[in-house]
Amino acid sequence: MKNLGILISGSGTNLQAIIDNIENGFIPAKISIVISNNPSAYGIKRVERKGIPVEVINHKDFSSREDFEKALIDCLEKHKVDYVILAGFMRVLTKFFINHYKDRILNIHPALLPSFPGVNAQKQAFDYGVKFSGCTVHFVTEKVDHGPIIIQAVVPVLQDDTPEKLQKRILEKEHIIFPLAIKMLVEEKLQISGNKVIWKVPVENMKDMYMINPYISF
Ligand code: GRF
């Protein structure tokens, strides 16, 4: 059974979706540690009540990014983490951290990459006036929000939307595709080829996976 280390900064609804999908048997993995850089993140409460180990490592307590990342790595190593999952983790990681966990870090981004990388992606998409947006799970590489894409889901932008409504619609899809990507990751069914990710699953299964998302046709 693979060990996951989950990094959060905020409310932790994606973390909750991962917990739920481990509990219901969909993801065959264990969360060995959750780390928050933000001491008041609500996500901390979600894991405390489940008895999952959680640590606060506040970036503000460190004088350099590298020292902060060393502390993260020490903690992740202590808990024998195989894969690092960025679930709303709002710090940019440097190549020092990324090389340590090369091809073993996943991130979720609330837009259809490569459009709208960076912060406030939902509002960026809303302000731009796109008619569809969505979310992307990708491997983390040095260039922020540019790593190989694992899976995406699409949502419409509606006439009477606000950035908040769009954000909520996207978040619902995040909670579906992030567990899916993590399942494939821990089952070692993802193969990186250049900047592409190949799903090593039977075509029938791929159809089933996409079927759960009405905005993706196969
Ligand atoms: C999500 O929209 C995620 O895509 C982004 O930050 C948000 C985190 O939400 N990176 P939560 O903490 O999982 O509720």
Side-chain angles (χ1 to χ4, degrees), residues 129-159:
V130 293
K131 298 299 185 198
F132 286 92
S133 191
C135 45
T136 304
V137 182
H138 64 96
F139 282 103
V140 173
T141 53
E142 256 184 74
K143 195 171 175 196
V144 175
D145 296 333
H146 277 77
I149 291 172
I150 297 167
I151 188 168
Q152 296 181 298
V154 181
V155 305
V157 182
L158 303 176
Q159 199 71 26

PDB file of all heavy atoms in Angstrom, residues 129-159:
ATOM      1  N   GLY A 129     -13.714  35.874 -20.153  1.00  0.00           N
ATOM      2  CA  GLY A 129     -14.928  35.667 -20.933  1.00  0.00           C
ATOM      3  C   GLY A 129     -14.998  34.341 -21.659  1.00  0.00           C
ATOM      4  O   GLY A 129     -15.767  34.192 -22.619  1.00  0.00           O
ATOM      5  N   VAL A 130     -14.225  33.362 -21.215  1.00  0.00           N
ATOM      6  CA  VAL A 130     -14.312  32.042 -21.856  1.00  0.00           C
ATOM      7  C   VAL A 130     -15.687  31.436 -21.599  1.00  0.00           C
ATOM      8  O   VAL A 130     -16.358  31.771 -20.613  1.00  0.00           O
ATOM      9  CB  VAL A 130     -13.206  31.071 -21.346  1.00  0.00           C
ATOM     10  CG1 VAL A 130     -11.829  31.527 -21.791  1.00  0.00           C
ATOM     11  CG2 VAL A 130     -13.257  30.928 -19.820  1.00  0.00           C
ATOM     12  N   LYS A 131     -16.128  30.564 -22.478  1.00  0.00           N
ATOM     13  CA  LYS A 131     -17.439  29.925 -22.330  1.00  0.00           C
ATOM     14  C   LYS A 131     -17.350  28.585 -21.620  1.00  0.00           C
ATOM     15  O   LYS A 131     -18.360  28.025 -21.198  1.00  0.00           O
ATOM     16  CB  LYS A 131     -18.107  29.746 -23.705  1.00  0.00           C
ATOM     17  CG  LYS A 131     -18.378  31.064 -24.415  1.00  0.00           C
ATOM     18  CD  LYS A 131     -19.333  31.944 -23.604  1.00  0.00           C
ATOM     19  CE  LYS A 131     -19.688  33.200 -24.369  1.00  0.00           C
ATOM     20  NZ  LYS A 131     -20.246  34.248 -23.464  1.00  0.00           N
ATOM     21  N   PHE A 132     -16.159  28.031 -21.556  1.00  0.00           N
ATOM     22  CA  PHE A 132     -15.928  26.808 -20.780  1.00  0.00           C
ATOM     23  C   PHE A 132     -14.662  26.997 -19.961  1.00  0.00           C
ATOM     24  O   PHE A 132     -13.704  27.620 -20.416  1.00  0.00           O
ATOM     25  CB  PHE A 132     -15.748  25.580 -21.686  1.00  0.00           C
ATOM     26  CG  PHE A 132     -17.025  25.105 -22.307  1.00  0.00           C
ATOM     27  CD1 PHE A 132     -17.422  25.572 -23.544  1.00  0.00           C
ATOM     28  CD2 PHE A 132     -17.842  24.204 -21.638  1.00  0.00           C
ATOM     29  CE1 PHE A 132     -18.603  25.141 -24.127  1.00  0.00           C
ATOM     30  CE2 PHE A 132     -19.036  23.768 -22.211  1.00  0.00           C
ATOM     31  CZ  PHE A 132     -19.427  24.243 -23.455  1.00  0.00           C
ATOM     32  N   SER A 133     -14.688  26.450 -18.760  1.00  0.00           N
ATOM     33  CA  SER A 133     -13.451  26.359 -17.994  1.00  0.00           C
ATOM     34  C   SER A 133     -13.431  24.978 -17.355  1.00  0.00           C
ATOM     35  O   SER A 133     -14.120  24.077 -17.826  1.00  0.00           O
ATOM     36  CB  SER A 133     -13.352  27.487 -16.971  1.00  0.00           C
ATOM     37  OG  SER A 133     -12.039  27.513 -16.446  1.00  0.00           O
ATOM     38  N   GLY A 134     -12.684  24.823 -16.276  1.00  0.00           N
ATOM     39  CA  GLY A 134     -12.636  23.489 -15.684  1.00  0.00           C
ATOM     40  C   GLY A 134     -11.473  23.352 -14.741  1.00  0.00           C
ATOM     41  O   GLY A 134     -11.051  24.325 -14.101  1.00  0.00           O
ATOM     42  N   CYS A 135     -10.953  22.144 -14.660  1.00  0.00           N
ATOM     43  CA  CYS A 135      -9.837  21.896 -13.748  1.00  0.00           C
ATOM     44  C   CYS A 135      -8.904  20.849 -14.357  1.00  0.00           C
ATOM     45  O   CYS A 135      -9.296  20.103 -15.256  1.00  0.00           O
ATOM     46  CB  CYS A 135     -10.332  21.456 -12.381  1.00  0.00           C
ATOM     47  SG  CYS A 135     -11.630  20.219 -12.403  1.00  0.00           S
ATOM     48  N   THR A 136      -7.700  20.848 -13.835  1.00  0.00           N
ATOM     49  CA  THR A 136      -6.617  20.025 -14.392  1.00  0.00           C
ATOM     50  C   THR A 136      -5.821  19.392 -13.265  1.00  0.00           C
ATOM     51  O   THR A 136      -5.417  20.088 -12.334  1.00  0.00           O
ATOM     52  CB  THR A 136      -5.643  20.920 -15.201  1.00  0.00           C
ATOM     53  OG1 THR A 136      -6.367  21.632 -16.209  1.00  0.00           O
ATOM     54  CG2 THR A 136      -4.532  20.099 -15.836  1.00  0.00           C
ATOM     55  N   VAL A 137      -5.581  18.095 -13.358  1.00  0.00           N
ATOM     56  CA  VAL A 137      -4.610  17.454 -12.455  1.00  0.00           C
ATOM     57  C   VAL A 137      -3.361  17.176 -13.278  1.00  0.00           C
ATOM     58  O   VAL A 137      -3.449  16.627 -14.380  1.00  0.00           O
ATOM     59  CB  VAL A 137      -5.146  16.137 -11.867  1.00  0.00           C
ATOM     60  CG1 VAL A 137      -4.121  15.537 -10.893  1.00  0.00           C
ATOM     61  CG2 VAL A 137      -6.481  16.358 -11.159  1.00  0.00           C
ATOM     62  N   HIS A 138      -2.221  17.574 -12.736  1.00  0.00           N
ATOM     63  CA  HIS A 138      -0.968  17.408 -13.496  1.00  0.00           C
ATOM     64  C   HIS A 138       0.190  17.061 -12.576  1.00  0.00           C
ATOM     65  O   HIS A 138       0.130  17.307 -11.360  1.00  0.00           O
ATOM     66  CB  HIS A 138      -0.656  18.707 -14.273  1.00  0.00           C
ATOM     67  CG  HIS A 138      -0.396  19.889 -13.386  1.00  0.00           C
ATOM     68  ND1 HIS A 138       0.867  20.285 -13.026  1.00  0.00           N
ATOM     69  CD2 HIS A 138      -1.237  20.753 -12.777  1.00  0.00           C
ATOM     70  CE1 HIS A 138       0.785  21.349 -12.243  1.00  0.00           C
ATOM     71  NE2 HIS A 138      -0.477  21.655 -12.074  1.00  0.00           N
ATOM     72  N   PHE A 139       1.224  16.473 -13.180  1.00  0.00           N
ATOM     73  CA  PHE A 139       2.470  16.264 -12.447  1.00  0.00           C
ATOM     74  C   PHE A 139       3.137  17.621 -12.252  1.00  0.00           C
ATOM     75  O   PHE A 139       3.030  18.507 -13.119  1.00  0.00           O
ATOM     76  CB  PHE A 139       3.412  15.339 -13.223  1.00  0.00           C
ATOM     77  CG  PHE A 139       3.046  13.885 -13.117  1.00  0.00           C
ATOM     78  CD1 PHE A 139       2.409  13.237 -14.171  1.00  0.00           C
ATOM     79  CD2 PHE A 139       3.334  13.157 -11.966  1.00  0.00           C
ATOM     80  CE1 PHE A 139       2.076  11.889 -14.080  1.00  0.00           C
ATOM     81  CE2 PHE A 139       2.999  11.813 -11.868  1.00  0.00           C
ATOM     82  CZ  PHE A 139       2.368  11.176 -12.926  1.00  0.00           C
ATOM     83  N   VAL A 140       3.816  17.757 -11.134  1.00  0.00           N
ATOM     84  CA  VAL A 140       4.465  19.039 -10.842  1.00  0.00           C
ATOM     85  C   VAL A 140       5.893  19.023 -11.366  1.00  0.00           C
ATOM     86  O   VAL A 140       6.667  18.109 -11.084  1.00  0.00           O
ATOM     87  CB  VAL A 140       4.446  19.318  -9.326  1.00  0.00           C
ATOM     88  CG1 VAL A 140       5.266  20.563  -8.985  1.00  0.00           C
ATOM     89  CG2 VAL A 140       3.005  19.481  -8.853  1.00  0.00           C
ATOM     90  N   THR A 141       6.184  20.041 -12.173  1.00  0.00           N
ATOM     91  CA  THR A 141       7.550  20.248 -12.653  1.00  0.00           C
ATOM     92  C   THR A 141       7.955  21.665 -12.257  1.00  0.00           C
ATOM     93  O   THR A 141       7.148  22.412 -11.687  1.00  0.00           O
ATOM     94  CB  THR A 141       7.623  20.089 -14.190  1.00  0.00           C
ATOM     95  OG1 THR A 141       6.642  20.956 -14.767  1.00  0.00           O
ATOM     96  CG2 THR A 141       7.367  18.655 -14.618  1.00  0.00           C
ATOM     97  N   GLU A 142       9.206  22.011 -12.610  1.00  0.00           N
ATOM     98  CA  GLU A 142       9.735  23.305 -12.158  1.00  0.00           C
ATOM     99  C   GLU A 142       8.911  24.509 -12.591  1.00  0.00           C
ATOM    100  O   GLU A 142       8.776  25.467 -11.853  1.00  0.00           O
ATOM    101  CB  GLU A 142      11.137  23.471 -12.720  1.00  0.00           C
ATOM    102  CG  GLU A 142      12.213  23.245 -11.689  1.00  0.00           C
ATOM    103  CD  GLU A 142      13.551  23.530 -12.294  1.00  0.00           C
ATOM    104  OE1 GLU A 142      13.838  24.716 -12.486  1.00  0.00           O
ATOM    105  OE2 GLU A 142      14.278  22.573 -12.595  1.00  0.00           O
ATOM    106  N   LYS A 143       8.390  24.459 -13.812  1.00  0.00           N
ATOM    107  CA  LYS A 143       7.615  25.594 -14.299  1.00  0.00           C
ATOM    108  C   LYS A 143       6.190  25.481 -13.749  1.00  0.00           C
ATOM    109  O   LYS A 143       5.469  24.512 -14.068  1.00  0.00           O
ATOM    110  CB  LYS A 143       7.617  25.597 -15.836  1.00  0.00           C
ATOM    111  CG  LYS A 143       7.155  26.904 -16.419  1.00  0.00           C
ATOM    112  CD  LYS A 143       7.390  26.945 -17.928  1.00  0.00           C
ATOM    113  CE  LYS A 143       6.797  28.229 -18.499  1.00  0.00           C
ATOM    114  NZ  LYS A 143       6.659  28.172 -19.952  1.00  0.00           N
ATOM    115  N   VAL A 144       5.799  26.459 -12.967  1.00  0.00           N
ATOM    116  CA  VAL A 144       4.534  26.378 -12.231  1.00  0.00           C
ATOM    117  C   VAL A 144       3.347  26.145 -13.170  1.00  0.00           C
ATOM    118  O   VAL A 144       3.200  26.839 -14.186  1.00  0.00           O
ATOM    119  CB  VAL A 144       4.304  27.685 -11.422  1.00  0.00           C
ATOM    120  CG1 VAL A 144       2.943  27.669 -10.743  1.00  0.00           C
ATOM    121  CG2 VAL A 144       5.410  27.868 -10.401  1.00  0.00           C
ATOM    122  N   ASP A 145       2.514  25.156 -12.824  1.00  0.00           N
ATOM    123  CA  ASP A 145       1.286  24.833 -13.568  1.00  0.00           C
ATOM    124  C   ASP A 145       1.540  24.414 -15.022  1.00  0.00           C
ATOM    125  O   ASP A 145       0.681  24.616 -15.884  1.00  0.00           O
ATOM    126  CB  ASP A 145       0.290  26.018 -13.526  1.00  0.00           C
ATOM    127  CG  ASP A 145      -0.193  26.306 -12.108  1.00  0.00           C
ATOM    128  OD1 ASP A 145      -0.212  25.380 -11.287  1.00  0.00           O
ATOM    129  OD2 ASP A 145      -0.549  27.463 -11.832  1.00  0.00           O
ATOM    130  N   HIS A 146       2.708  23.861 -15.296  1.00  0.00           N
ATOM    131  CA  HIS A 146       3.019  23.449 -16.672  1.00  0.00           C
ATOM    132  C   HIS A 146       3.399  21.974 -16.806  1.00  0.00           C
ATOM    133  O   HIS A 146       3.813  21.553 -17.881  1.00  0.00           O
ATOM    134  CB  HIS A 146       4.145  24.312 -17.256  1.00  0.00           C
ATOM    135  CG  HIS A 146       3.648  25.610 -17.810  1.00  0.00           C
ATOM    136  ND1 HIS A 146       3.311  26.671 -17.006  1.00  0.00           N
ATOM    137  CD2 HIS A 146       3.394  25.993 -19.079  1.00  0.00           C
ATOM    138  CE1 HIS A 146       2.885  27.670 -17.769  1.00  0.00           C
ATOM    139  NE2 HIS A 146       2.921  27.283 -19.024  1.00  0.00           N
ATOM    140  N   GLY A 147       3.289  21.187 -15.748  1.00  0.00           N
ATOM    141  CA  GLY A 147       3.717  19.788 -15.828  1.00  0.00           C
ATOM    142  C   GLY A 147       2.764  18.942 -16.650  1.00  0.00           C
ATOM    143  O   GLY A 147       1.653  19.378 -17.005  1.00  0.00           O
ATOM    144  N   PRO A 148       3.180  17.705 -16.969  1.00  0.00           N
ATOM    145  CA  PRO A 148       2.356  16.803 -17.781  1.00  0.00           C
ATOM    146  C   PRO A 148       0.942  16.631 -17.209  1.00  0.00           C
ATOM    147  O   PRO A 148       0.768  16.361 -16.018  1.00  0.00           O
ATOM    148  CB  PRO A 148       3.142  15.487 -17.736  1.00  0.00           C
ATOM    149  CG  PRO A 148       4.551  15.889 -17.493  1.00  0.00           C
ATOM    150  CD  PRO A 148       4.480  17.105 -16.620  1.00  0.00           C
ATOM    151  N   ILE A 149      -0.036  16.783 -18.089  1.00  0.00           N
ATOM    152  CA  ILE A 149      -1.445  16.761 -17.674  1.00  0.00           C
ATOM    153  C   ILE A 149      -1.949  15.325 -17.574  1.00  0.00           C
ATOM    154  O   ILE A 149      -1.803  14.529 -18.514  1.00  0.00           O
ATOM    155  CB  ILE A 149      -2.297  17.574 -18.673  1.00  0.00           C
ATOM    156  CG1 ILE A 149      -1.961  19.069 -18.534  1.00  0.00           C
ATOM    157  CG2 ILE A 149      -3.791  17.324 -18.444  1.00  0.00           C
ATOM    158  CD1 ILE A 149      -2.606  19.951 -19.596  1.00  0.00           C
ATOM    159  N   ILE A 150      -2.582  15.016 -16.455  1.00  0.00           N
ATOM    160  CA  ILE A 150      -3.109  13.659 -16.228  1.00  0.00           C
ATOM    161  C   ILE A 150      -4.578  13.578 -16.636  1.00  0.00           C
ATOM    162  O   ILE A 150      -4.999  12.660 -17.325  1.00  0.00           O
ATOM    163  CB  ILE A 150      -2.935  13.266 -14.745  1.00  0.00           C
ATOM    164  CG1 ILE A 150      -1.456  13.225 -14.394  1.00  0.00           C
ATOM    165  CG2 ILE A 150      -3.609  11.916 -14.464  1.00  0.00           C
ATOM    166  CD1 ILE A 150      -1.173  13.160 -12.912  1.00  0.00           C
ATOM    167  N   ILE A 151      -5.361  14.529 -16.170  1.00  0.00           N
ATOM    168  CA  ILE A 151      -6.796  14.480 -16.451  1.00  0.00           C
ATOM    169  C   ILE A 151      -7.370  15.886 -16.296  1.00  0.00           C
ATOM    170  O   ILE A 151      -6.853  16.691 -15.512  1.00  0.00           O
ATOM    171  CB  ILE A 151      -7.517  13.470 -15.506  1.00  0.00           C
ATOM    172  CG1 ILE A 151      -8.975  13.242 -15.905  1.00  0.00           C
ATOM    173  CG2 ILE A 151      -7.386  13.838 -14.055  1.00  0.00           C
ATOM    174  CD1 ILE A 151      -9.647  12.061 -15.197  1.00  0.00           C
ATOM    175  N   GLN A 152      -8.420  16.150 -17.084  1.00  0.00           N
ATOM    176  CA  GLN A 152      -9.095  17.444 -16.984  1.00  0.00           C
ATOM    177  C   GLN A 152     -10.605  17.222 -16.992  1.00  0.00           C
ATOM    178  O   GLN A 152     -11.086  16.230 -17.544  1.00  0.00           O
ATOM    179  CB  GLN A 152      -8.721  18.346 -18.169  1.00  0.00           C
ATOM    180  CG  GLN A 152      -7.234  18.702 -18.179  1.00  0.00           C
ATOM    181  CD  GLN A 152      -6.852  19.617 -19.319  1.00  0.00           C
ATOM    182  OE1 GLN A 152      -6.995  19.246 -20.476  1.00  0.00           O
ATOM    183  NE2 GLN A 152      -6.351  20.795 -19.003  1.00  0.00           N
ATOM    184  N   ALA A 153     -11.322  18.145 -16.409  1.00  0.00           N
ATOM    185  CA  ALA A 153     -12.784  18.140 -16.514  1.00  0.00           C
ATOM    186  C   ALA A 153     -13.219  19.543 -16.919  1.00  0.00           C
ATOM    187  O   ALA A 153     -12.572  20.533 -16.563  1.00  0.00           O
ATOM    188  CB  ALA A 153     -13.419  17.758 -15.183  1.00  0.00           C
ATOM    189  N   VAL A 154     -14.316  19.587 -17.640  1.00  0.00           N
ATOM    190  CA  VAL A 154     -14.770  20.847 -18.234  1.00  0.00           C
ATOM    191  C   VAL A 154     -16.109  21.249 -17.624  1.00  0.00           C
ATOM    192  O   VAL A 154     -16.967  20.406 -17.388  1.00  0.00           O
ATOM    193  CB  VAL A 154     -14.942  20.659 -19.761  1.00  0.00           C
ATOM    194  CG1 VAL A 154     -15.393  21.943 -20.428  1.00  0.00           C
ATOM    195  CG2 VAL A 154     -13.638  20.173 -20.376  1.00  0.00           C
ATOM    196  N   VAL A 155     -16.274  22.529 -17.372  1.00  0.00           N
ATOM    197  CA  VAL A 155     -17.591  23.042 -16.947  1.00  0.00           C
ATOM    198  C   VAL A 155     -17.938  24.254 -17.825  1.00  0.00           C
ATOM    199  O   VAL A 155     -17.048  24.954 -18.295  1.00  0.00           O
ATOM    200  CB  VAL A 155     -17.635  23.455 -15.452  1.00  0.00           C
ATOM    201  CG1 VAL A 155     -17.206  22.334 -14.537  1.00  0.00           C
ATOM    202  CG2 VAL A 155     -16.817  24.708 -15.198  1.00  0.00           C
ATOM    203  N   PRO A 156     -19.234  24.493 -18.026  1.00  0.00           N
ATOM    204  CA  PRO A 156     -19.618  25.671 -18.797  1.00  0.00           C
ATOM    205  C   PRO A 156     -19.531  26.934 -17.926  1.00  0.00           C
ATOM    206  O   PRO A 156     -19.656  26.862 -16.708  1.00  0.00           O
ATOM    207  CB  PRO A 156     -21.076  25.388 -19.167  1.00  0.00           C
ATOM    208  CG  PRO A 156     -21.570  24.519 -18.062  1.00  0.00           C
ATOM    209  CD  PRO A 156     -20.402  23.713 -17.588  1.00  0.00           C
ATOM    210  N   VAL A 157     -19.306  28.057 -18.575  1.00  0.00           N
ATOM    211  CA  VAL A 157     -19.441  29.346 -17.888  1.00  0.00           C
ATOM    212  C   VAL A 157     -20.801  29.893 -18.314  1.00  0.00           C
ATOM    213  O   VAL A 157     -21.050  30.076 -19.516  1.00  0.00           O
ATOM    214  CB  VAL A 157     -18.317  30.317 -18.284  1.00  0.00           C
ATOM    215  CG1 VAL A 157     -18.450  31.631 -17.520  1.00  0.00           C
ATOM    216  CG2 VAL A 157     -16.950  29.685 -18.043  1.00  0.00           C
ATOM    217  N   LEU A 158     -21.683  30.121 -17.358  1.00  0.00           N
ATOM    218  CA  LEU A 158     -23.064  30.479 -17.683  1.00  0.00           C
ATOM    219  C   LEU A 158     -23.259  31.991 -17.703  1.00  0.00           C
ATOM    220  O   LEU A 158     -22.469  32.756 -17.138  1.00  0.00           O
ATOM    221  CB  LEU A 158     -24.018  29.813 -16.688  1.00  0.00           C
ATOM    222  CG  LEU A 158     -23.892  28.276 -16.622  1.00  0.00           C
ATOM    223  CD1 LEU A 158     -24.800  27.705 -15.544  1.00  0.00           C
ATOM    224  CD2 LEU A 158     -24.174  27.642 -17.979  1.00  0.00           C
ATOM    225  N   GLN A 159     -24.349  32.379 -18.358  1.00  0.00           N
ATOM    226  CA  GLN A 159     -24.622  33.794 -18.571  1.00  0.00           C
ATOM    227  C   GLN A 159     -24.699  34.601 -17.264  1.00  0.00           C
ATOM    228  O   GLN A 159     -24.216  35.712 -17.184  1.00  0.00           O
ATOM    229  CB  GLN A 159     -25.965  33.914 -19.322  1.00  0.00           C
ATOM    230  CG  GLN A 159     -26.187  35.220 -20.019  1.00  0.00           C
ATOM    231  CD  GLN A 159     -25.286  35.393 -21.239  1.00  0.00           C
ATOM    232  OE1 GLN A 159     -24.852  34.417 -21.842  1.00  0.00           O
ATOM    233  NE2 GLN A 159     -25.003  36.612 -21.592  1.00  0.00           N
TER     234      GLN A 159
END
